[in-house]
Amino acid sequence: MLVKWMRCTVIDRRGFERGQRKWAGLPGEPGFRGQAGGWSRERPGVAHIFSFWESRAFYDSFMARSHDRLAAAQAGTYKNIQVGLFDYRFDVTTGFEPRFTDADVVRVAHCKVREGRVEHFSLMQEKVWNPAMAGSPGMLRGVFGEAPGNEFLVLSMWQSAAEHGKYRAERVERLSLRAQTDADVAGLSGAVVQLDPSWTV
């Protein structure tokens, strides 16, 4: 599976939201698995969109054929778009599927891992972070993906922002020490995204 993460600064909110609804045509595309998104809780005006494809080949085919027609509706409504493509590595908890109807927020963490630390970082994700998230009330499911250049994406879905906030306050610092995150990670950015149900495809 291929995971696509887009974020952009929106300059015409109403136009952007109107254009976002045009993506409802995606389910007819071969290899398309799902799409959702919403607004950053920390940075108003920054939109995040996540889409899922069965493979890179299906995604490339869509980009070559239908993408520009669907994207035209949002032209001029945003700036500073950043796009990342990540190959699925494993589930966070089990049975990941790109279903968003039961989730209120998505936490996305983008990690740039130091040379020589990739294996350790992946192992810690599997042995330390995943079990902790899986055991946290309100955490639904998630996915761990990798891109060339030692870049990783950890995407987790939560029933509510309050549940995620509790997990972050109570456990993240302790888990970070146990997983030696500072030794592995050269750069970390991310967001808590308030999902907009009208963007879910």
Side-chain angles (χ1 to χ4, degrees):
M1 186 169 62
L2 185 75
V3 183
K4 181 179 186 178
W5 171 38
M6 293 155 281
R7 63 204 137 134
C8 55
T9 304
V10 174
I11 50 179
D12 170 6
R13 189 166 174 138
R14 283 182 64 186
F16 183 86
E17 289 187 321
R18 206 166 39 242
Q20 196 57 39
R21 289 193 269 280
K22 300 283 188 203
W23 296 96
L26 277 170
E29 293 293 333
F32 173 72
R33 297 278 309 276
Q35 180 168 292
W39 299 99
S40 165
R41 288 179 64 90
E42 304 98 334
R43 296 176 61 202
V46 174
H48 293 258
I49 295 147
F50 312 97
S51 68
F52 300 83
W53 296 82
E54 271 172 41
S55 70
R56 180 66 188 248
F58 278 124
Y59 170 75
D60 287 344
S61 167
F62 161 72
M63 290 301 289
R65 287 178 303 99
S66 314
H67 175 269
D68 292 358
R69 176 176 48 81
L70 291 168
Q74 283 174 307
T77 64
Y78 61 85
K79 59 180 184 176
N80 305 337
I81 190 163
Q82 292 168 292
V83 178
L85 296 172
F86 299 84
D87 288 311
Y88 166 88
R89 284 276 304 275
F90 50 76
D91 293 351
V92 176
T93 75
T94 54
F96 177 79
E97 50 181 311
R99 202 165 42 78
F100 292 86
T101 47
D102 52 352
D104 182 42
V105 296
V106 166
R107 160 67 178 159
V108 56
H110 179 222
C111 307
K112 183 87 173 142
V113 175
R114 297 181 207 279
E115 208 61 57
R117 299 291 298 189
V118 165
E119 211 170 302
H120 182 264
F121 175 77
S122 301
L123 187 68
M124 291 300 101
Q125 183 63 43
E126 223 168 340
K127 303 286 186 216
V128 175
W129 292 102
N130 282 11
M133 277 199 268
S136 293
M139 195 279 179
L140 299 167
R141 58 193 159 276
V143 67
F144 180 73
E146 181 177 8
N150 299 348
E151 280 188 52
F152 293 86
L153 183 78
V154 185
L155 187 150
S156 55
M157 298 183 205
W158 297 77
Q159 273 172 351
S160 73
E163 298 282 17
H164 175 260
K166 214 183 304 173
Y167 161 77
R168 195 148 71 174
E170 290 169 5
R171 310 189 70 178
V172 166
E173 202 175 323
R174 188 164 40 84
L175 291 166
S176 204
L177 286 170
R178 195 169 141 214
Q180 301 172 1
T181 302
D182 288 349
D184 289 347
V185 175
L188 172 65
S189 63
V192 177
V193 181
Q194 186 73 48
L195 293 174
D196 185 325
S198 70
W199 297 12
T200 300
V201 181

